[in-house]
Amino acid sequence: QVQLVESGGGLVQAGGSLRLSCAASGRTFSSYGMGWFRQAPGKEREFVAGINRSGDSTYYADSVKGRFTISRDNAKNTLYLQMNSLKPEDTANYHCAAKTVDGGRYSSWILYNYWGQGTQVTVSS
């Protein structure tokens, strides 16, 4: 089992940047494929980005490709999401998630086993 705690959210103007972190504790972090998802009020949970165990394969939603970068530091048990050129439509609660099966689809939230509580990102226009 792994526990996940997100941080780094906040209020930023459109065009600005934020870096989210997800600290993992418990079972070995490098055992998990990881992902970031977001959910805005009244909307469904949405895949943002995913990364495999070793960090050498990454996956992005079309809506964030070229603006967001997912990375991980297995030595520090931490997952990151660098968000640049933020838009008001990026406003949501962002969650990190861990899945025990490496590979496969990273975009499907039902494949993830563990979730953090989330961190709010608000982008003003």
Side-chain angles (χ1 to χ4, degrees):
Q1 188 168 342
V2 64
Q3 292 78 41
L4 304 172
V5 178
E6 302 93 339
S7 62
L11 174 63
V12 64
Q13 288 188 334
S17 298
L18 283 174
R19 189 175 83 154
L20 305 184
S21 298
C22 172
S25 61
R27 190 178 166 187
T28 307
F29 177 64
S30 58
S31 300
Y32 298 94
M34 299 296 296
W36 286 100
F37 290 78
R38 66 188 182 187
Q39 188 165 19
K43 295 188 177 181
E44 293 186 353
R45 191 177 324 188
E46 177 186 18
F47 169 74
V48 176
I51 189 167
N52 70 344
R53 291 173 179 171
S54 62
D56 57 7
S57 293
T58 57
Y59 313 88
Y60 296 94
D62 288 343
S63 59
V64 306
K65 202 171 293 182
R67 300 188 297 123
F68 291 10
T69 302
I70 188 172
S71 62
R72 66 190 298 164
D73 186 335
N74 287 342
K76 295 183 178 179
N77 294 340
T78 305
L79 175 73
Y80 303 100
L81 184 68
Q82 177 66 44
M83 305 186 296
N84 298 330
S85 302
L86 282 161
K87 304 175 181 180
E89 51 263 43
D90 294 318
T91 295
N93 196 254
Y94 284 71
H95 299 262
C96 64
K99 67 190 192 84
T100 56
V101 177
D102 203 14
R105 291 182 60 198
Y106 276 77
S107 59
S108 178
W109 66 269
I110 63 173
L111 298 180
Y112 288 78
N113 306 94
Y114 305 102
W115 293 82
Q117 291 298 308
T119 185
Q120 178 67 33
V121 172
T122 303
V123 184
S124 63
S125 56

